[in-house]
Amino acid sequence: MADRQLDVLVICGSLRKGSYNAALARTLPALAPPGLKLRTAPPFDKMPIYNHDIQETTGFPAEANAWADAIRSADAVIIVSPEYNWSIPGGLKNAIDWVSRMKDQPFKDKPVALQSAAGGILGGSRMQYHLRMSLTSVDAILFGRPEVIVTFAAQKFDPQTLELKDQTSIDMIKQQLAAFEKFVRRLQPKE
Ligand SMILES: Cc1cc2nc3c(=O)[nH]c(=O)nc-3n(C[C@H](O)[C@H](O)[C@H](O)COP(=O)(O)O)c2cc1C
């Protein structure tokens, strides 16, 4: 019997319209092997800054519940994010903080792959390292290599269409997605 398609949730850490990371995320379906079906995560930008008092009084924000449900229901997650001040953008970290407090913690045992695009020479790799630590703290299972790190992003995307033009990056993405599918399948419970 053929393997069923894996349901993969794609989270983008940038909120801006012209985001290179959002553009990177948009390239993934065309570069993914047929075994992966990618879908976009619901927004996280309206979640208040995490405060235990809010959780105690009014409960989890609706957006945090929707985000958590989307993660729980996926076979795997890909996070595509910029680096802010050598680390994880605050909005993304805040969303992770909210769902980390939930009883049925959505990242537990979830395979996660990371990608980043950034303006500089390190391409968001410091953010990836910090995200790797945070996600390990919530029991996610982090995919290792190949890594997707798009350096000097302004030179790699078409300035008008934001299409990814850099063949090395495209090849790197294809290799990562193919390896990530194998990684996720190895972790699937036997039916
Ligand atoms: C608040 C802020 C902090 C940033 N810090 C870094 C950084 O630490 N390292 C880096 O490579 N780029 C940094 N940048 C530049 C981003 O790489 C660049 O703006 C990138 O385009 C953001 O991703 P996006 O296009 O997906 O929004 C920063 C940008 C902002 C707005």
Side-chain angles (χ1 to χ4, degrees):
M1 204 173 68
D3 284 328
R4 71 171 179 90
Q5 262 195 323
L6 297 170
D7 172 25
V8 181
L9 189 77
V10 180
I11 294 171
C12 178
S14 175
L15 304 175
R16 74 185 189 97
K17 254 194 249 134
S19 160
Y20 293 121
N21 285 277
L24 179 57
R26 286 196 295 273
T27 67
L28 303 185
L31 304 178
L36 300 186
K37 189 169 177 13
L38 274 48
R39 67 179 154 112
T40 305
F44 57 77
D45 58 317
K46 304 287 188 305
M47 292 182 207
I49 294 172
Y50 179 81
N51 179 340
H52 186 68
D53 296 341
I54 300 176
Q55 185 186 328
E56 289 286 281
T57 51
T58 53
F60 288 97
E63 234 191 10
N65 283 324
W67 207 66
D69 284 345
I71 296 165
R72 281 188 201 106
S73 64
D75 293 308
V77 173
I78 299 174
I79 300 181
V80 187
S81 178
E83 174 175 297
Y84 282 178
N85 300 313
W86 294 15
S87 191
I88 306 163
L92 175 61
K93 179 60 164 54
N94 186 49
I96 294 169
D97 291 341
W98 269 112
V99 302
S100 73
R101 300 289 93 191
M102 294 179 178
K103 259 208 189 98
D104 182 11
Q105 201 272 101
F107 279 110
K108 184 168 171 43
D109 299 331
K110 195 67 64 181
V112 182
L114 306 180
Q115 300 186 353
S116 58
I121 194 170
L122 293 179
S125 50
R126 290 165 293 209
M127 178 289 302
Q128 290 204 21
Y129 193 61
H130 286 189
L131 196 49
R132 204 166 270 284
M133 285 195 279
S134 275
L135 292 172
T136 300
S137 95
V138 291
D139 297 322
I141 304 172
L142 273 297
F143 174 79
R145 294 189 306 154
E147 297 170 289
V148 172
I149 298 168
V150 181
T151 59
F152 302 117
Q155 299 168 25
K156 310 278 170 74
F157 293 86
D158 182 284
Q160 258 78 48
T161 63
L162 285 179
E163 197 186 327
L164 182 60
K165 294 289 189 194
D166 180 57
Q167 195 56 45
T168 306
S169 303
I170 290 169
D171 293 344
M172 204 160 68
I173 293 165
K174 280 188 188 160
Q175 285 166 24
Q176 190 200 55
L177 294 178
F180 189 48
E181 178 184 357
K182 286 189 189 143
F183 178 81
V184 178
R185 290 204 189 277
R186 277 204 301 274
L187 295 168
Q188 290 284 299
K190 296 275 172 282
E191 278 160 20

